[in-house]
């Protein structure tokens, strides 16, 4: 019997390409609404992605790129307020149908469910963002496809720390050997590998040059029957799309 019992998905960059045209745009709207002249360009945002978590990213931006900004006395509240506004703008973008799932994601989720493989999410993003993405790209009930949604501040240390994967594994009562993680970034794979999870990587424009030394395989995307993946690292042994059979081939 196969030892793969569950698939654990990252969200941003993995389920959907959310960063450049989603989160980034929502941050900029929140800054403008607050009367700030901060504008995160596509290029700058790539550098800010070094830090996961939206509130953490705002602080990182001020520390590294805007140190002259006069911080208000209630700085924690100020950051939290900006971030809450950003979440509102972001979920609105999702509800407008601006951001689709990446190729192969829905296909794989449906196949895994049919085969009784359990599903979970491990992400640094805010829980509301996960529900909105699943609701508007799949259906209202798609949130329930996932047994555990580990998201945001539920653990204090975000990726690259392994805590969010530990949280999910514990909630599912599974060992890392029984699960496979899906990630798109260096911070993601550092987190999943530290939690001892075999990890399948699908890159995106922001992460194509990241170091994925420890991945089970690195692909451009999960693949569809009419759109095979490209292998960037590792051996797909004749497979053209990531399905349950390929996952078992890779990790047992
Ligand atoms: C993505 C992140 C998040 C999002 C923004 O990480 O780092 O911070 O960019 O979301 P992952 P919030 O790929 O692990 O999901 O603003 O809600 O933090
Ligand atoms: Mg990611």
């Amino acid at each position: 019997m196969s030892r793969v019992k569950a698939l654990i998905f990252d969200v941003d960059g993995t389920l959907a390409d959310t960063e450049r045209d989603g989160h980034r745009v929502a941050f900029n709207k929140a800054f403008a609404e607050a009367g700030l002249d901060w504008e995160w360009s596509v290029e700058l945002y790539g550098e800010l992605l070094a830090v996961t978590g939206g509130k953490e990213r705002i602080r990182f931006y001020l520390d590294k790129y805007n140190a002259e900004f006069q911080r208000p006395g209630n700085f924690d509240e100020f950051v939290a307020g900006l971030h809450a506004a950003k979440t509102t703008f972001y979920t609105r973008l999702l509800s407008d149908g601006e951001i689709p799932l990446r190729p192969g994601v829905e296909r794989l989720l449906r196949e895994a469910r049919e085969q009784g493989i359990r599903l979970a999410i491990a992400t640094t993003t805010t829980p509301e963002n996960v529900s909105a993405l699943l609701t508007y790209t799949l259906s209202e009930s798609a949130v329930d496809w996932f047994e555990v949604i580990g998201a945001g501040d539920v653990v204090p240390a975000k990726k690259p720390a392994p805590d969010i994967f530990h949280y999910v594994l514990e909630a599912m009562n599974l060992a890392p050997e029984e699960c496979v993680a899906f990630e798109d970034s260096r911070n993601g794979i550092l987190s999943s590998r530290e939690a001892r999870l075999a990890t399948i990587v699908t890159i995106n424009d922001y992460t194509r040059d990241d170091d994925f030394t420890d991945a089970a395989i690195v692909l451009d995307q999960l693949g569809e029957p009419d759109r095979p993946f490209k292998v960037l690292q590792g051996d797909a042994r004749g497979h053209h799309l990531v399905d349950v059979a390929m996952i078992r081939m890779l990790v047992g």
Side-chain angles (χ1 to χ4, degrees):
M1 217 181 107
S2 167
R3 66 197 172 114
V4 177
K5 296 204 172 109
L7 309 182
I8 308 176
F9 289 87
D10 169 50
V11 174
D12 296 301
T14 301
L15 292 185
D17 241 324
T18 50
E19 294 290 8
R20 195 190 68 181
D21 301 327
H23 290 294
R24 185 186 68 88
V25 171
F27 278 114
N28 284 332
K29 283 179 191 263
F31 301 153
E33 186 187 58
L36 299 162
D37 64 353
W38 312 348
E39 172 77 33
W40 289 0
S41 66
V42 170
E43 198 191 353
L44 171 62
Y45 196 68
E47 294 180 35
L48 297 175
L49 284 173
V51 170
T52 62
K55 294 187 285 293
E56 294 81 351
R57 192 166 297 143
I58 292 170
R59 288 169 185 275
F60 175 61
Y61 163 72
L62 290 174
D63 289 345
K64 190 155 173 207
Y65 299 91
N66 194 355
E68 61 280 8
F69 174 70
Q70 289 296 319
R71 301 182 184 207
N74 54 349
F75 185 58
D76 287 352
E77 258 173 61
F78 167 75
V79 171
L82 270 181
H83 188 251
K86 176 259 170 179
T87 299
T88 303
F89 284 117
Y90 178 71
T91 51
R92 202 174 292 162
L93 280 173
L94 291 174
S95 70
D96 290 343
E98 295 286 318
I99 300 179
L101 293 179
R102 295 191 66 189
V105 168
E106 180 170 357
R107 174 189 55 70
L108 178 59
L109 293 175
R110 289 188 184 279
E111 191 203 352
R113 273 164 60 75
E114 275 161 24
Q115 299 211 19
I117 294 182
R118 297 157 67 186
L119 299 175
I121 279 176
T123 176
T124 67
T125 204
T126 305
E128 281 156 88
N129 297 346
V130 182
S131 322
L133 181 73
L134 296 174
T135 300
Y136 297 116
T137 57
L138 291 167
S139 69
E140 198 103 7
S141 59
V143 173
D144 302 328
W145 295 7
F146 298 86
E147 194 176 316
V148 180
I149 296 185
D153 298 325
V154 70
V155 289
K158 293 184 177 166
K159 298 174 188 178
D163 303 33
I164 196 68
F165 283 103
H166 288 150
Y167 171 90
V168 169
L169 289 170
E170 196 179 314
M172 297 182 97
N173 197 23
L174 287 172
E177 303 74 46
E178 298 175 302
C179 304
V180 176
F182 291 79
E183 278 289 353
D184 71 301
S185 70
R186 175 80 182 145
N187 279 329
I189 195 170
L190 284 172
S191 170
S192 61
R193 291 299 295 152
E194 185 69 20
R196 295 189 292 116
L197 286 152
T199 304
I200 294 174
V201 172
T202 49
I203 55 126
N204 58 59
D205 281 346
Y206 275 130
T207 66
R208 62 179 65 253
D209 298 324
D210 283 6
D211 176 0
F212 294 117
T213 304
D214 233 4
I217 198 161
V218 181
L219 307 165
D220 65 333
Q221 37 97 19
L222 292 175
E224 293 283 16
D226 60 350
R227 184 180 172 184
F229 56 55
K230 288 193 188 71
V231 180
L232 306 173
Q233 183 184 307
D235 187 355
R237 308 226 313 250
H239 290 263
H240 301 290
L241 50 77
V242 177
D243 55 10
V244 172
M246 173 167 166
I247 293 169
R248 291 200 167 120
M249 177 281 286
L250 281 173
V251 303

